[in-house]
Amino acid sequence: MDNCIFCKIVKKEIPASILYEDEELLVFKDINPIDKVHLLIIPKKHIENLFSCEEKHKELLSKMMLLAPKLAKDNGLEGFRMMINTGEKGGQEVFHIHFHVYGGSEELAKI
Ligand code: 5GP
Ligand code: ZN
C-alpha cells in the first residue's frame, strides 16, 4: 500500500522505534503514547482492519495476540491493555491493522 504509514515503517522508509521484528510481524513504540508503555503490533502485510480478516488470517492474528504478553513482560509490565480500533466509527485512524498494547501507570488509561 503506497500511502500507508505503517507499510512505510515496515519498509523502513520512515523511522520508528522498533522493539521486535520477525518475518511476519513488526512491533514499535506508538509515537503518541497514552501510557508509560504503548506498543503497536502490526503484520508486515497490509491488512486494513478486523473487518478485512478472514479464516485464512487466524494464524497471523493469534501470533499477534500471543506476542502481546511476551512484549508486555519484556517491557516491564505486570499487566496491560490491548485495544484494536476497527473502522472509522471504531476510532481507527491508521488503516493498517494494529494491536495497541499499553500499560504501566497506576491509573490505566481508559478509552
Ligand atoms: P488508531 O487510532 O488507528 O487505532 O491508532 C493509530 C496509532 O498510530 C495512534 O496511537 C498514533 O499515535 C500512532 N501513529 C500514527 N502515526 C505514527 C507514526 O508515524 N509512527 C508511530 N510510531 N506511531 C504512529
Ligand atoms: Zn499498510
Side-chain angles (χ1 to χ4, degrees):
M1 275 292 187
D2 289 348
N3 248 339
C4 172
I5 196 136
F6 287 178
C7 282
K8 286 182 180 159
I9 289 176
V10 169
K11 287 187 269 175
K12 314 275 164 68
E13 287 173 7
I14 61 166
S17 188
I18 294 173
L19 298 170
Y20 175 88
E21 180 168 16
D22 65 26
E23 61 288 346
E24 286 182 299
L25 305 182
L26 191 70
V27 181
F28 50 93
K29 291 186 186 174
D30 195 293
I31 206 168
N32 191 17
I34 59 166
D35 211 324
K36 282 188 180 156
V37 176
H38 184 176
L39 320 174
L40 299 173
I41 303 176
I42 71 165
K44 287 187 168 175
K45 185 175 146 39
H46 183 90
I47 300 168
E48 202 166 281
N49 60 32
L50 279 178
F51 283 130
S52 331
C53 289
E54 301 168 19
E55 191 70 14
K56 67 178 180 190
H57 297 112
K58 71 182 179 191
E59 272 187 42
L60 182 70
L61 290 169
S62 61
K63 206 178 154 187
M64 289 168 75
M65 183 83 91
L66 291 170
L67 189 55
K70 290 198 184 87
L71 283 160
K73 272 195 178 163
D74 287 352
N75 284 276
L77 297 179
E78 292 172 28
F80 65 94
R81 256 200 188 132
M82 193 152 86
M83 183 172 66
I84 312 168
N85 294 331
T86 305
E88 222 171 297
K89 301 247 171 181
Q92 187 176 7
E93 287 178 359
V94 178
F95 283 78
H96 180 132
I97 194 169
H98 49 281
F99 291 7
H100 294 260
V101 173
Y102 62 93
S105 302
E106 289 300 315
E107 276 282 315
L108 263 180
K110 292 201 175 80
I111 293 186

